[in-house]
Amino acid sequence: MNKEKQSAAQILLAFDFGMKRIGVAVGQTVTQTARPLDTIQAKDGIPNWDAIKKLIKKWLPDALVVGIPLNMDGSDQAISEQARRFAQDLREQYQLTVHEIDERLTTKDARERLFKKGGYKALQDGQVDRVAAQLILQNWFAEN
């Protein structure tokens, strides 16, 4: 995103794709900050599209960011292709720009941050997925 051409604040939703849960975060381009938003249930990698639709309708994002899980050497994991398919489905369903970003270590980082704040209790209820999505979006801001 070219900051000089950016005339108005943009809202972005970020997704931490998983086979059982998809973390969602929201952020905006003025302060380039993000916050955890929600965790959407998925069944065998198929998201609850109604829940995603409600979030998109509520937040009216200008673009979306999807984390692509990669191995430490940058090669694809088994789940990488499913995350890319999810990104493509978002493009097709919502006609929005969908940015894909390397999400290596975001889940690990999210777990560590939450554990420091609240121990094992903080790791429950999909919190890790939401915070991982927040980190994905913050990383995207840092790179763009």
Side-chain angles (χ1 to χ4, degrees):
M1 181 182 310
N2 186 333
K3 292 177 183 157
E4 292 172 18
K5 287 187 179 181
Q6 188 177 309
S7 57
Q10 292 192 337
I11 294 172
L12 287 91
L13 290 180
F15 297 90
D16 175 41
F17 178 81
M19 297 301 285
K20 294 181 182 177
R21 288 179 306 279
I22 299 170
V24 185
V26 63
Q28 47 83 20
T29 56
V30 172
T31 60
Q32 295 195 341
T33 56
R35 67 178 178 87
L37 186 62
D38 202 357
T39 302
I40 295 169
Q41 297 303 310
K43 186 170 184 168
D44 297 324
I46 300 169
N48 177 340
W49 286 107
D50 288 338
I52 292 173
K53 183 178 183 178
K54 284 178 186 173
L55 287 173
I56 292 196
K57 193 173 182 178
K58 178 179 179 178
W59 290 96
L60 300 172
D62 298 286
L64 308 174
V65 178
V66 175
I68 305 297
L70 300 173
N71 292 314
M72 290 309 294
D73 66 0
S75 63
D76 280 1
Q77 295 183 20
I79 195 173
S80 302
E81 188 54 41
Q82 284 135 322
R84 285 189 185 96
R85 194 171 319 126
F86 172 67
Q88 185 58 35
D89 289 345
L90 288 170
R91 280 182 196 97
E92 291 171 2
Q93 286 191 43
Y94 299 105
Q95 308 302 307
L96 291 169
T97 298
V98 179
H99 305 280
E100 296 177 13
I101 185 172
D102 176 357
E103 68 153 63
R104 274 180 278 188
L105 299 178
T106 54
T107 300
K108 180 180 182 293
D109 189 10
R111 282 184 200 284
E112 289 172 1
R113 288 175 185 223
L114 286 167
F115 186 79
K116 280 182 187 175
K117 283 184 179 177
Y120 287 108
K121 275 190 166 182
L123 300 177
Q124 298 172 5
D125 299 328
Q127 280 285 63
V128 172
D129 306 291
R130 288 177 228 165
V131 172
Q134 175 189 14
L135 295 173
I136 287 166
L137 188 49
Q138 287 174 336
N139 290 343
W140 186 84
F141 284 140
E143 291 179 12
N144 292 282

